């Protein structure tokens, strides 16, 4: 059984930083593409970033480019999302996701991912 457990969310002021973590069990992490999505109240779940199995390819949604960084530590079965220069519009529940597909160029749709975490709330106050 594959499990993804997120941590690191919370309340932060605008301009501040937060690092989210997601630890994966039940699957060979080093053969898994990882992604982050977010869902604001009343909105659909949107793509934020993804990273391939070896960290060789990362991709970001336009509004977070230059502010967010996705990374992974395969020895710890963990993927991270470092979020800097946070804005109130970044407020959302952030979800970690894992994909069986290892090769390709983009994983930006929810349907590209097979396993999901329970989500962690990030609230950015103005």
């Amino acid at each position: 059984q594959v499990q993804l457990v997120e941590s690191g969310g919370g309340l932060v002021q605008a301009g501040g930083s937060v690092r989210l973590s997601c630890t994966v069990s039940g699957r060979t992490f080093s053969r898994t593409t990882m992604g982050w999505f977010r869902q604001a109240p009343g909105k659909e779940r949107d793509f934020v970033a993804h990273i391939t199995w070896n960290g060789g390819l990362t991709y970001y949604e336009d509004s977070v480019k230059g502010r967010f960084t996705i990374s992974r530590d395969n020895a710890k079965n963990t993927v991270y999302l470092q979020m800097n220069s946070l804005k109130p519009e970044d407020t959302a529940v952030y979800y970690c996701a894992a994909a069986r597909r290892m090769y390709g160029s983009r994983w930006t749709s929810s349907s590209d991912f097979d396993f999901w975490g329970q989500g962690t709330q990030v609230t950015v106050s103005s």
Side-chain angles (χ1 to χ4, degrees):
Q1 182 178 0
V2 180
Q3 289 189 320
L4 288 70
V5 179
E6 300 106 334
S7 60
L11 175 64
V12 62
Q13 288 188 332
S17 298
V18 166
R19 189 176 81 157
L20 305 182
S21 301
C22 172
T23 301
V24 180
S25 61
R27 176 168 175 84
T28 303
F29 184 73
S30 60
R31 298 180 60 83
T32 304
T33 300
M34 298 298 300
W36 287 95
F37 285 71
R38 65 185 178 185
Q39 187 168 18
K43 296 188 177 181
E44 295 185 351
R45 188 174 300 186
D46 291 329
F47 168 77
V48 175
H50 72 63
I51 185 168
T52 49
W53 61 276
N54 61 354
L57 176 64
T58 59
Y59 185 73
Y60 299 90
E61 189 267 329
D62 285 346
S63 70
V64 308
K65 286 180 181 176
R67 300 190 297 123
F68 291 10
T69 302
I70 188 171
S71 62
R72 64 190 295 158
D73 185 339
N74 284 353
K76 295 182 178 180
N77 288 5
T78 300
V79 63
Y80 305 97
L81 185 67
Q82 178 67 44
M83 304 188 293
N84 299 329
S85 302
L86 283 162
K87 304 175 182 179
E89 51 264 43
D90 294 318
T91 294
V93 177
Y94 283 73
Y95 295 91
C96 171
R100 294 189 183 95
R101 178 166 63 93
M102 292 175 59
Y103 299 102
S105 59
R106 291 290 182 266
W107 290 257
T108 57
S109 171
S110 296
S111 61
D112 292 325
F113 293 86
D114 304 289
F115 308 101
W116 293 84
Q118 81 288 352
T120 185
Q121 176 72 44
V122 174
T123 302
V124 184
S125 63
S126 58

